RNA sequence: GGGCGGUUAGCUCAGUUGGUUAGAGUACCUGCUUGACAUGCAGGGGGUCAGAGGUUCAAGUCCUCUACCGCCCACCA
């Protein structure tokens, strides 16, 4: 029963390490066996080589508080952790490391390189998981997964084979987005379009056997070397004479036809467009329609190749400059105009993406998208905030095939082999050892790997053992909610839904909760490299994980970004933690050895006891309601307001004399029982938000059993609502507020006690007489007189509250002029309101059309204002 | 080009189905070693609710338009 002394200020670091280890030892993070549907969250796997940044901190805080909340509600809970191999990003990181040693991946070879990445993986993995522990993530470490571990790799191959068999995976020669720096294909989602000020070059292509020429407009002159036609709209009369003519491509002398195509916009440029089927998606289509040659003029690094004639060996940028110069020299450059257009950039390295013709693997998405689309309509999937549903649906409507092959070394190898002897293609889950057709043993696996998201989209079931019918899969699929940022709604969320329906026949989660991004005052994402924030870990070192967590949640508007976050904002949570800590320090000595005794306390609760218990019940309801609706910021605010504004500001102040009075009396038991109840509830309500400190205090609170981490989530007790007590305390607060205001305005020294007179009518007069001691305590009075007949002192400060008059006879202290000014200001305010109310009540339309209650309320208000006005006026007159 | 958000106190945000004097935190000002907390206590100033028009007895709240900010999507040669 011995309770340790609490330090004056909360010291988080030691406390946090201790309790995390404790919870883990107790096995709280694993779902307990049991009845009832489990609560399941799968972590959006962070990039294994990344480190925990603010995005994760916020993301994990939300998931952890939901998990802890459900755990306290007695549900078996599983928050499954894991990391992502993040193909391109990780390969880039490791390549950069090699570069520091003056090496490239080719120097170490494919096998050596992949081994090197695995080594890095384990180093970084330890770092990120340690960060998660620091934050307090109550994840089930025994179920941790990695997107490249054996089980998940198996799932990836299985899915590839199944989709291939279904005809939903195919290989094709197509124009894809190519990053010349990463030297790999990208999906459409991995390209960021940036509006760029470019130029529109008007180039003249001479007509064969003629002095004339046709002028085409292009933003990319360097691709002209790959032109195999010039297209005009068939109905464009300007070009009617040119139909059937042949043009001579400058530099190369290639003869190319003028073709007619409906897709040409006659209004753009000159109405004649150069056609480069191997370097532009539109032209590619046109090339197919008109059976044009496809000539690639660049290599994988976007360096001009052997088809570029004299420009071979130049980068695409150099080639552009040289070609433009050369055109100028030959008088073939008609003009150049400024032109703003959108240019694609690599999501990973920001290099300008090249539309590039190459042989890649694709997933046919249309059939997969249909059930994902219907999920919203059928109510099987809700995306919060709801506005994101439109974004999701629109993307699905316009869905295009997914390019899944990557020319990288780090990732899941494509499970396709080709027989060297008979060229048979083998698509298989397990590595084949002989060609099923000719028996040849020389099988060559496709060198490419799969897009990272091709493993991530299986996360909701691959982590649970799929394709095996495991117990976990049966029990934990689908999960309860997906918590993530809207930036990966297409990359990940939509694709998980598709995979869920395709392979499990069910939506992987009923709710997607999208939260905002943490930004600084300039609206930039927080990052250490930008220098606009500390590392979250550093902030936790300085202020504690609880403070950081609570601050983030408190600052987050629903589904919108957190703006203006900075280190100082963590004070919000830190100060709050300190406040609660100290409130606890106040009451703890009085609770030592105390056991709450509702039976003995019953009948001895005071109004303030009943009021705080009633307010607590309201808070419990509100917090729970807000949590259910994912309004977690509001839930945090509910607790904040209750603890600080009600409990500390009022209740504990009122309770002090009773706490210091003799123990063991019925009143002493009542106040202690009340305090015990309130703290027991607050600690439980707050635990999901501030797991560490609440656990520490829970163990310091006498009579608690077990850990708060597994304590029961509070529900408002029956009979905990006390509206009459609430009303009486509300009156008290107003009266005390007014007294304090008077004292302050009259510059009364805080230590000086003053007589208080309240001219009040019944029934409030009786209430206020009962509150005698509290009014003296909180209003710093030396005496109190209450009643309808209280005489107004000659020299006094005065105020009117609910038609009751408060007098502070401060003889010798009253500055009459000051008091007059104060009263006059108040009087004028009341008059303004009185008049506006008067006008309303004289308006027949208002009386006829407004709801009865509204009119009634207005009448009451009018009456009250009238009385208040008169009293203020009299008091003003007396001042002279 | 299309779409989606937003605009309320210096800053960050609340503001339920229209109905008391538009709130909170923070910053600011004044005064306080008040029997837990100066990471605190008490008090105070500060808002033409982006603009215009409309609906209504009544608009921060509903409708229309405009301006500005932000985000997303887009095969604008």
């Amino acid at each position: 029963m011995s309770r340790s002394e609490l330090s004056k200020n909360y010291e988080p670091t030691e406390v946090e390490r201790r309790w995390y280890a404790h919870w883990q030892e107790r096995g709280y993070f694993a779902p307990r066996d049991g009845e009832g549907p489990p609560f399941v969250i799968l972590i959006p796997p962070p990039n294994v080589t990344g480190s925990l940044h603010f995005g994760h901190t916020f993301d994990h805080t939300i998931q952890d508080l939901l998990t802890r909340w459900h755990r306290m509600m007695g549900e078996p809970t599983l928050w499954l952790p894991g990391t992502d191999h993040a193909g391109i990003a990780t390969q880039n990181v490791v390549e950069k490391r090699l570069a520091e040693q003056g090496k490239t991946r080719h120097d170490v070879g494919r096998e050596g390189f992949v081994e090197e990445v695995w080594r890095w993986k384990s180093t970084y993995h330890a770092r990120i998981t340690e960060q998660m522990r620091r934050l307090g993530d109550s994840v089930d470490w025994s179920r941790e997964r990695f997107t490249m571990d054996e089980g998940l790799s198996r799932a990836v191959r299985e899915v590839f084979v199944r989709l291939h068999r279904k005809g939903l995976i195919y290989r094709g020669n197509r124009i894809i987005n190519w990053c010349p720096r990463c030297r790999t294909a990208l999906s459409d989602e991995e390209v960021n379009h940036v509006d760029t000020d470019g130029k529109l070059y008007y180039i003249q292509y001479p007509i064969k056997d003629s002095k004339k020429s046709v002028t085409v407009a292009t933003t990319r002159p360097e691709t002209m070397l790959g032109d195999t036609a010039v297209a005009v709209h068939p109905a464009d009369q300007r070009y009617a004479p040119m139909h059937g003519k042949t043009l001579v491509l400058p530099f190369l002398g290639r003869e190319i036809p003028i073709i007619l195509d409906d897709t040409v916009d006659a209004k753009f440029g000159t109405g004649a467009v150069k056609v480069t089927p191997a370097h532009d998606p539109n032209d590619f289509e046109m090339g197919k329609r008109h059976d044009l040659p496809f000539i690639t003029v660049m290599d994988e690094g976007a360096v001009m190749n052997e088809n570029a004639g004299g420009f071979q060996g130049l980068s695409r940028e150099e080639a552009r400059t040289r070609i433009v110069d050369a055109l100028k020299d030959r008088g073939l450059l008609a003009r150049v105009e400024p032109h703003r257009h959108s240019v694609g950039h690599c999501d990973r390295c920001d290099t300008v993406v090249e539309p590039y013709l190459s042989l890649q693997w694709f997933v046919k998405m249309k059939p997969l998208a249909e059930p994902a689309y219907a999920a919203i309509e059928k109510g099987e999937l809700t995306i919060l905030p709801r506005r994101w549903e439109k974004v999701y649906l629109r993307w699905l409507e316009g869905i295009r095939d997914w390019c899944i092959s990557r020319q990288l070394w780090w990732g899941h190898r494509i499970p396709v082999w080709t027989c060297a002897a008979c060229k048979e293609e083998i698509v298989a889950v397990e590595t084949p050892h002989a060609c099923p057709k000719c028996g040849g043993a020389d099988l060559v696996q496709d060198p490419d790997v799969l897009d990272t998201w091709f493993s991530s989209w299986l996360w909701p079931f691959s982590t649970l053992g799929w394709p095996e019918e495991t117990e976990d899969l049966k029990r934990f699929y689908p999960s309860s909610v997906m918590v993530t940022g809207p930036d990966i709604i297409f990359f990940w969320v939509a694709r998980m839904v598709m995979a869920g329906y395709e392979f499990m026949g069910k939506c992987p989660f009923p709710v997607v909760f999208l939260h905002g991004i943490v930004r600084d005052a300039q609206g930039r994402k927080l990052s250490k490299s930008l220098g606009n924030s500390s590392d979250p870990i550093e902030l936790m070192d300085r202020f504690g994980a609880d403070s950081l967590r609570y601050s983030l949640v408190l600052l987050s508007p629903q589904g919108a970004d957190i703006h203006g976050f900075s280190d100082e904002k963590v004070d919000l949570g830190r100060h709050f933690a300190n406040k609660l800590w100290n409130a606890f320090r106040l009451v703890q000595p009085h609770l030592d050895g105390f056991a709450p005794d509702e039976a003995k306390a019953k009948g001895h609760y005071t109004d303030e006891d009943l009021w705080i218990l009633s307010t607590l019940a309201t808070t419990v309801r509100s917090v729970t309601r807000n949590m259910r609706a994912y309004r977690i910021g509001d839930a945090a605010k509910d607790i904040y307001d209750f603890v600080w504004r009600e409990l500390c500001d009022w209740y504990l102040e009122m309770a002090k004399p009773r706490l210091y009075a003799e123990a063991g009396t019925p009143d002493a038991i009542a106040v202690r029982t009340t305090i015990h109840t309130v703290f027991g509830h607050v600690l439980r309500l707050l635990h999901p938000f501030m797991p560490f400190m609440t656990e520490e205090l829970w163990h310091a609170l006498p009579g608690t059993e077990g850990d708060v981490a597994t304590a029961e989530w509070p529900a408002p007790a029956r009979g905990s609502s006390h509206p009459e007590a609430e009303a009486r305390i509300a009156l008290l607060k107003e009266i005390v507020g007014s007294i304090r205001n008077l004292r302050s305005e009259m510059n009364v020294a805080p230590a000086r006690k003053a007589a208080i007179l309240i001219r009040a009518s019944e029934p409030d007069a009786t209430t206020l007489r009962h509150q005698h001691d509290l009014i003296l305590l909180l209003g710093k009075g030396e005496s109190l007189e209450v009643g309808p007949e209280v005489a107004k002192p000659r020299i006094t400060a005065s105020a009117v509250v609910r038609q009751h008059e408060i007098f502070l006879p401060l003889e010798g202290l009253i500055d009459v002029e000051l008091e007059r000014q104060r009263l006059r200001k108040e009087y004028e305010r009341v008059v303004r309101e009185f008049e506006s109310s008067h006008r309303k009540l004289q308006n027949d339309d208002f009386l006829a059309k407004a709801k009865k209650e509204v009119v009634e309320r207005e009448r009451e208000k009018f009456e009250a204002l009238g009385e208040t006005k008169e009293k203020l006026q009299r008091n003003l007159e007396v001042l002279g």
Side-chain angles (χ1 to χ4, degrees):
Chain A
M1 196 44 102
S2 84
R3 301 285 168 175
S4 56
E5 283 278 307
L6 298 178
S7 60
K8 184 169 174 184
N9 294 318
Y10 173 55
E11 300 295 341
T13 316
E14 182 269 339
V15 169
E16 291 177 1
R17 288 194 193 283
R18 186 153 39 82
W19 289 119
Y20 196 87
H22 175 82
W23 296 322
Q24 251 194 294
E25 276 164 28
R26 294 295 169 98
Y28 292 159
F29 298 168
R32 49 177 192 75
D33 297 331
E35 62 306 334
F39 179 80
V40 183
I41 296 188
L42 304 172
I43 206 167
N47 178 348
V48 71
T49 55
S51 74
L52 210 62
H53 55 68
F54 270 95
H56 298 119
T57 311
F58 186 42
D59 188 61
H60 290 202
T61 296
I62 295 166
Q63 291 172 62
D64 192 50
L65 74 85
L66 290 173
T67 303
R68 286 179 184 273
W69 174 49
H70 282 273
R71 187 177 294 124
M72 292 175 76
M73 290 199 295
E75 299 164 33
T77 53
L78 170 62
W79 182 16
L80 188 145
T83 47
D84 194 290
H85 69 282
I88 301 182
T90 303
Q91 175 153 336
N92 283 351
V93 168
V94 178
E95 280 189 294
K96 208 177 274 175
R97 297 291 166 187
L98 285 177
E100 283 165 13
Q101 303 160 34
K103 285 194 244 174
T104 71
R105 67 177 147 127
H106 298 281
D107 295 330
V108 291
R110 182 161 190 155
E111 236 170 86
F113 180 77
V114 170
E115 271 172 37
E116 182 71 14
V117 182
W118 275 104
R119 269 195 295 279
W120 276 101
K121 183 245 163 194
S122 50
T123 313
Y124 281 102
H125 172 264
R127 185 175 74 176
I128 198 153
T129 53
E130 172 56 21
Q131 290 174 328
M132 287 171 65
R133 289 183 170 87
R134 284 297 309 278
L135 230 203
D137 289 1
S138 62
V139 294
D140 182 0
W141 292 110
S142 72
R143 284 181 168 83
E144 187 189 352
R145 305 309 298 263
F146 175 55
T147 51
M148 289 257 284
D149 67 25
E150 185 39 46
L152 272 71
S153 300
R154 164 81 210 275
V156 164
R157 292 193 303 269
E158 182 75 30
V159 160
F160 188 97
V161 171
R162 286 196 196 182
L163 289 178
H164 184 264
R165 241 180 246 150
K166 246 183 137 170
L168 294 181
I169 281 184
Y170 64 92
R171 181 154 48 180
N173 225 329
R174 296 245 216 126
I175 297 269
I176 45 80
N177 304 292
W178 181 269
C179 175
R181 200 216 60 86
C182 301
R183 290 180 183 248
T184 180
L186 304 171
S187 65
D188 294 335
E189 286 67 41
E190 287 167 295
V191 177
N192 299 319
H193 295 274
V194 181
D195 277 344
T196 310
D197 285 316
K199 290 186 178 114
L200 194 58
Y201 301 87
Y202 289 79
I203 305 171
Q204 293 167 324
Y205 285 7
I207 299 174
K208 189 187 176 193
D209 303 327
S210 159
K211 293 252 158 22
K212 290 187 186 157
S213 62
V214 169
T215 304
V216 297
T218 181
T219 55
R220 308 196 54 205
E222 66 278 14
T223 64
M224 69 178 286
L225 303 171
D227 285 2
T228 53
V230 164
V232 298
H233 194 279
D236 189 343
Q237 285 311 306
R238 295 173 296 174
Y239 292 102
M242 271 73 141
H243 291 182
K245 299 267 201 238
T246 298
L247 302 172
V248 181
L249 191 65
F251 308 124
L252 301 179
R254 182 159 64 238
E255 295 188 0
I256 59 174
I258 291 179
I259 59 171
L260 307 180
D261 198 286
D262 286 338
T263 61
V264 177
D265 178 1
K267 291 193 287 292
F268 188 89
T270 60
V273 54
K274 63 193 255 336
V275 182
T276 322
H279 288 278
D280 182 280
N282 276 329
D283 296 3
F284 176 75
E285 294 302 323
M286 235 188 278
K288 283 204 291 193
R289 279 197 295 276
H290 298 273
D291 204 20
L292 301 171
F294 296 76
I295 301 175
T296 301
V297 295
M298 293 174 203
D299 67 13
E300 294 174 354
V303 171
M304 306 311 285
N305 68 10
E306 68 281 3
N307 295 324
F311 300 98
Q312 182 177 356
L314 299 178
S315 73
R316 53 186 170 170
E317 293 80 11
E318 290 165 342
R320 179 179 301 182
T321 315
R322 296 275 204 89
I323 285 170
V324 169
D325 286 347
L327 286 169
K328 237 183 266 172
D329 291 346
R330 298 183 187 197
L332 294 175
L333 188 66
R335 63 183 191 277
V336 181
E337 288 174 355
H339 182 68
R340 197 167 172 79
H341 63 138
S342 171
V343 177
H345 290 69
C346 173
D347 189 45
R348 277 294 149 199
C349 72
D350 214 37
T351 301
V352 171
V353 160
E354 192 63 38
Y356 197 64
L357 182 62
S358 63
L359 189 63
Q360 305 287 347
W361 290 95
F362 299 88
V363 180
K364 206 168 164 184
M365 298 301 273
K366 200 95 201 166
L368 297 173
E370 277 159 19
Y373 189 96
I376 298 277
E377 292 171 329
K378 288 196 275 187
E380 291 172 4
L381 177 66
T382 303
I383 304 178
L384 299 174
R386 298 298 288 260
R387 63 190 151 87
W388 289 106
E389 289 180 356
K390 266 180 274 179
V391 176
Y392 167 91
L393 291 174
R394 188 151 308 146
W395 185 75
L396 287 176
E397 278 166 12
I399 195 142
R400 285 177 294 174
D401 287 358
W402 176 15
C403 175
I404 52 170
S405 42
R406 297 289 177 274
Q407 288 64 50
L408 304 171
W409 286 354
W410 176 241
H412 298 278
R413 280 290 282 273
I414 292 176
V416 176
W417 290 261
T418 307
C419 172
C422 72
K423 302 297 170 203
E424 171 77 357
E425 194 175 89
I426 306 145
V427 181
V429 172
E430 300 304 335
T431 307
H433 297 292
C435 173
K437 195 174 171 195
C438 73
D442 189 4
L443 305 177
V444 183
Q445 186 170 10
D446 191 308
D448 290 351
V449 302
L450 290 160
D451 183 2
T452 296
W453 300 101
F454 195 85
S455 55
S456 319
W457 76 324
L458 313 177
W459 192 249
F461 49 88
S462 63
T463 52
L464 299 171
W466 188 91
E468 305 298 324
E469 267 287 319
T470 60
E471 286 304 309
D472 271 11
L473 189 65
K474 279 186 251 175
R475 192 169 175 215
F476 302 124
Y477 187 93
S479 60
S480 310
V481 56
M482 171 52 61
V483 178
T484 189
D487 48 330
I488 51 174
I489 190 167
F490 308 137
F491 276 115
W492 196 45
V493 177
R495 285 172 181 158
M496 278 192 288
V497 176
M498 295 187 224
Y501 277 106
E502 176 68 16
F503 301 105
M504 295 295 295
K506 242 191 248 172
C507 195
F509 27 72
V511 178
V512 174
F513 179 53
L514 299 175
H515 58 250
I517 294 168
V518 187
R519 300 179 182 278
D520 71 3
Q522 279 88 53
R524 301 171 302 180
K525 244 189 209 184
L526 285 192
S527 82
K528 200 166 186 177
S529 58
L530 267 175
N532 60 354
S533 90
S534 306
D535 187 289
I537 295 295
E538 195 190 312
L539 287 181
M540 285 188 251
D541 287 341
R542 278 157 62 196
F543 308 126
D546 286 337
S547 300
L548 180 58
R549 289 167 62 117
Y550 195 69
S551 299
L552 284 170
V553 171
L554 208 51
L555 284 169
S556 62
Q558 287 153 54
D561 292 351
I562 297 176
H563 276 106
F565 194 83
S566 59
D567 290 8
E568 303 85 71
K569 287 289 196 296
V570 184
D571 283 344
L572 213 66
R574 187 171 134 252
H575 293 177
F576 177 71
N578 190 248
K579 186 73 182 174
L580 182 63
W581 182 261
N582 277 291
F584 191 86
R585 283 182 61 229
L586 166 68
V587 301
Q588 195 205 19
H590 305 286
L591 295 177
D592 198 22
F594 173 77
D597 192 332
E598 306 243 6
K600 276 191 195 160
K602 193 141 192 175
H604 297 278
Y605 288 119
T606 59
D607 268 356
E608 60 269 28
D609 294 337
L610 296 175
W611 157 74
I612 197 72
L613 290 169
S614 194
T615 307
L616 173 68
T618 305
T619 304
V620 168
R621 266 189 292 271
S622 182
V623 170
T624 306
R625 194 177 339 109
N626 282 324
M627 292 285 268
R628 276 217 180 86
Y630 294 94
R631 289 190 299 256
I632 54 173
D634 291 352
K637 185 74 168 24
D638 287 340
I639 303 170
Y640 185 97
D641 287 339
F642 177 77
V643 168
W644 206 312
R645 303 276 80 103
E646 308 292 357
L647 179 63
C648 294
D649 285 356
W650 291 98
Y651 182 76
L652 291 180
E653 292 306 322
M654 297 190 239
K656 274 178 187 174
R658 299 165 69 204
L659 278 180
Y660 284 99
E662 187 190 342
T665 65
D667 180 66
I669 293 169
V671 69
R672 281 167 178 72
T673 302
T674 302
I675 283 173
H676 195 275
T677 303
V678 170
F679 275 85
H681 278 69
V682 165
L683 293 178
R684 282 178 289 154
L685 287 178
L686 194 57
H687 180 258
F689 301 85
M690 294 192 150
F692 297 109
M693 194 186 76
T694 50
E695 193 68 86
E696 180 76 0
L697 291 180
W698 182 260
H699 285 262
L701 184 68
T704 51
E705 279 173 18
D707 299 307
V708 72
T710 53
E712 196 182 341
W713 182 254
R718 251 176 294 134
S720 55
S721 178
H722 305 289
E724 307 82 8
E726 282 195 48
R728 287 192 288 265
I729 297 297
L731 173 70
L732 172 74
K733 284 163 127 188
E734 269 190 68
I735 295 284
V736 168
S738 183
I739 294 168
R740 285 171 171 173
N741 173 259
L742 279 179
R743 292 179 54 106
S744 175
E745 296 275 338
M746 289 297 110
N747 296 319
V748 180
R752 190 194 154 110
K753 302 236 170 159
I756 301 168
L757 295 99
I758 306 175
R759 188 192 280 164
S761 52
E762 295 297 349
D764 286 355
T766 305
T767 302
L768 291 171
R769 270 192 290 266
H770 280 127
Q771 294 170 338
H772 178 271
D773 293 355
L774 291 177
I775 293 172
L776 289 188
L777 173 73
L778 301 169
K780 294 210 190 286
E782 60 179 2
S783 64
L784 174 66
E785 201 182 320
V786 182
E789 308 302 333
V790 165
K792 184 183 175 188
R794 206 175 54 80
I795 299 176
T796 183
S798 68
V800 182
V801 173
R802 298 192 187 187
Q803 294 98 260
H804 308 312
E805 288 171 279
I806 300 174
F807 304 119
L808 256 52
L810 296 160
E811 271 182 76
L813 276 175
I814 304 275
D815 179 330
V816 176
E817 187 47 36
L818 199 66
E819 172 67 359
R820 187 184 292 119
Q821 280 173 20
R822 197 186 60 78
L823 269 183
R824 184 171 301 283
K825 201 173 135 200
E826 177 69 4
Y827 175 72
E828 280 162 6
R829 189 183 64 77
V830 171
V831 166
R832 267 199 306 279
E833 260 196 81
F834 176 80
E835 282 168 358
S836 122
S837 181
H838 186 59
R839 274 195 301 278
K840 253 190 192 174
L841 290 168
Q842 287 198 313
N843 182 339
D844 291 337
D845 278 333
F846 174 70
L847 298 174
K849 292 177 183 170
K851 275 179 277 184
K852 244 185 250 132
E853 312 88 79
V854 174
V855 175
E856 191 45 42
R857 214 183 309 142
E858 194 62 38
R859 281 226 171 82
E860 282 166 18
K861 178 182 148 192
F862 177 73
E863 305 263 314
L865 282 168
E867 275 187 52
T868 304
K869 187 174 69 114
E870 271 171 46
K871 284 170 181 162
L872 285 167
Q873 193 171 9
R874 271 207 316 274
N875 291 340
L876 255 174
E877 280 163 6
V878 173
L879 275 179

